[in-house]
Amino acid sequence: MTDRPKILVTQKVPDPAYSPLEAIGDVEANMEEGNIWPYEELLRRGPGHDYIYSLLTDNIDARFLEACAASTPSLKMVANMAVGFNNIDVETATRLRIAVSNTPGVLSDTTADLAFALLMATARRIPEAERFLRAGKYKGWGPLLFCGADVHGSTLGLIGAGRIGKLVARRSSGFDMKVLYYDVYRMSPEEEATYHMTYMPMEDVLPQSDFISVHTPYMPSTHHLISERELKMMKPTAILINTARGPIVDEKALVRALQSKTIAAAGLDVFENEPAVEPELLSMENVVLLPHIASASLKTRTLMATMASDNIVAHYKGERPPNIVNPEVLE
């Protein structure tokens, strides 16, 4: 192919991602770290590109895709630097013969690490205790000072048992935790034995678990999967952890559950209306809040970034992108 494609990179990504793209095409990139283009800016810049390298915070909707498909050159592919792709209207992309790719697999262990770290931090009240000490309030050891919840020997309930859920279960074995799980697809008995996990309906997992960790993908069927009804099923001492997607948990219902002591605490890396957070959560000491950093190790983010580039390069060369979401567009 002689024509160099036009490639738009919507946000600043790790440096190794750029050179493969620059080798095949003309790259326009948002190089200001932390700068997320508003939708109208994205809509202005997108048309006229062959490839768009997007991130989860970019709204790649039908209007955007149709504008890009109607331009010259027309859009051929959206490469999302994320495992999830609910920010992209895949149905419209497929109708317009636009390929969509993601970056699965590489972040599973890193995300599982963060999920377990968040569980530990929330259970043992680590951020709260650190704020107390830094504020100069620590006057000496006391028998009731920041007593939290034991992790070892407790029961972990997993809502979703895909790659990340299984890896969280593996980490829990070092703490002698009993692991219950609910998933739409039950594992084989052999796999359950490998990960020491016991399947139960969600209605049984919730009341029996000391910790509930959410690991389902986000889709219409999982929107507000954890809401008022489910929160009321949990123990009053239970701790909810969410490193999956914000809208899986009904954030307003969670606020009410925490205020009424329906559950004890929550650790959240994702939020229903990111980057906005329910204001009440910000003032609660029994909530640990992180800015969506589950995959934020330098090694993992670099692998994700180069994987997204590799998907674009493969498509440009007429090869099957390694992580294509809608392979029917290649037929």
Side-chain angles (χ1 to χ4, degrees):
M1 300 180 71
T2 56
D3 293 338
R4 286 174 63 82
K6 296 182 182 301
I7 305 167
L8 178 67
V9 182
T10 64
Q11 292 181 47
K12 179 77 171 69
V13 296
D15 289 341
Y18 296 104
S19 55
L21 301 178
E22 291 166 346
I24 64 163
D26 299 324
V27 178
E28 177 187 347
N30 176 359
M31 297 301 288
E32 185 179 343
E33 187 171 352
N35 176 32
I36 300 173
W37 286 332
Y39 178 75
E40 293 300 327
E41 178 74 3
L42 190 66
L43 186 63
R44 183 181 71 80
R45 291 177 178 268
H49 289 89
D50 297 274
Y51 295 96
I52 291 178
Y53 183 126
S54 63
L55 286 94
L56 197 61
T57 46
D58 297 318
N59 181 17
I60 310 296
D61 64 1
R63 179 188 175 198
F64 178 84
L65 290 167
E66 287 167 355
C68 292
S71 66
T72 303
S74 62
L75 181 62
K76 299 170 181 62
M77 182 179 188
V78 178
N80 217 36
M81 185 187 142
V83 175
F85 44 87
N86 54 287
N87 61 309
I88 301 172
D89 186 335
V90 177
E91 183 178 348
T92 297
T94 302
R95 174 173 59 80
L96 297 171
R97 310 298 294 175
I98 298 169
V100 176
S101 67
N102 66 339
T103 58
V106 295
L107 55 68
S108 299
D109 272 297
T110 302
T111 300
D113 285 349
L114 190 282
F116 210 83
L118 189 53
L119 184 154
M120 292 284 292
T122 309
R124 296 304 303 271
R125 303 171 63 182
I126 291 172
E128 183 185 358
E130 192 203 25
R131 288 193 295 270
F132 176 86
L133 186 145
R134 286 181 180 273
K137 297 178 181 179
Y138 178 51
K139 304 304 179 185
W141 180 90
L144 299 178
L145 185 64
F146 288 105
C147 288
D150 276 329
V151 175
H152 69 275
S154 62
T155 298
L156 171 63
L158 299 174
I159 306 302
R163 285 189 299 264
I164 296 169
K166 291 185 183 77
L167 290 168
V168 172
R170 179 170 288 167
R171 283 151 178 75
S172 75
S173 65
F175 291 80
D176 295 320
M177 298 178 84
K178 177 182 179 180
V179 183
L180 312 177
Y181 83 96
Y182 166 74
D183 196 288
V184 174
Y185 303 102
R186 183 172 179 176
M187 291 182 237
S188 67
E190 295 76 18
E191 199 169 17
E192 288 180 349
T194 297
Y195 289 97
H196 305 288
M197 298 166 70
T198 300
Y199 174 83
M200 288 184 176
M202 191 162 76
E203 290 76 10
D204 294 326
V205 172
L206 296 175
Q208 295 188 45
S209 300
D210 300 300
F211 299 91
I212 297 291
S213 192
V214 179
H215 300 287
T216 68
Y218 179 61
M219 57 187 71
S221 61
T222 60
H223 182 79
H224 286 186
L225 183 67
I226 304 296
S227 192
E228 187 169 4
R229 172 179 171 269
E230 291 73 28
L231 290 161
K232 285 182 177 178
M233 291 181 187
M234 298 181 197
K235 296 179 180 181
T237 54
I239 293 173
L240 176 68
I241 305 297
N242 187 12
T243 55
R245 286 289 181 265
I248 297 170
V249 175
D250 182 340
E251 213 161 284
K252 292 185 183 298
L254 176 61
V255 166
R256 293 192 296 270
L258 291 164
Q259 289 173 334
S260 63
K261 298 185 177 5
T262 300
I263 66 171
L268 307 173
D269 183 52
V270 289
F271 304 94
E272 189 167 354
N273 298 296
E274 286 183 29
V277 180
E278 284 294 318
E280 294 91 340
L281 292 174
L282 296 171
S283 62
M284 291 179 176
E285 290 287 7
N286 58 337
V287 182
V288 179
L289 306 171
L290 300 177
H292 202 148
I293 59 168
S295 63
S297 75
L298 185 58
K299 178 181 177 181
T300 293
R301 289 280 172 89
T302 301
L303 284 170
M304 291 171 67
T306 55
M307 183 181 288
S309 295
D310 290 344
N311 283 316
I312 290 174
V313 171
H315 187 279
Y316 170 73
K317 290 181 175 179
E319 301 168 359
R320 180 189 175 96
N323 306 110
I324 190 163
V325 170
N326 55 346
E328 57 269 36
V329 303
L330 302 179
E331 296 171 358

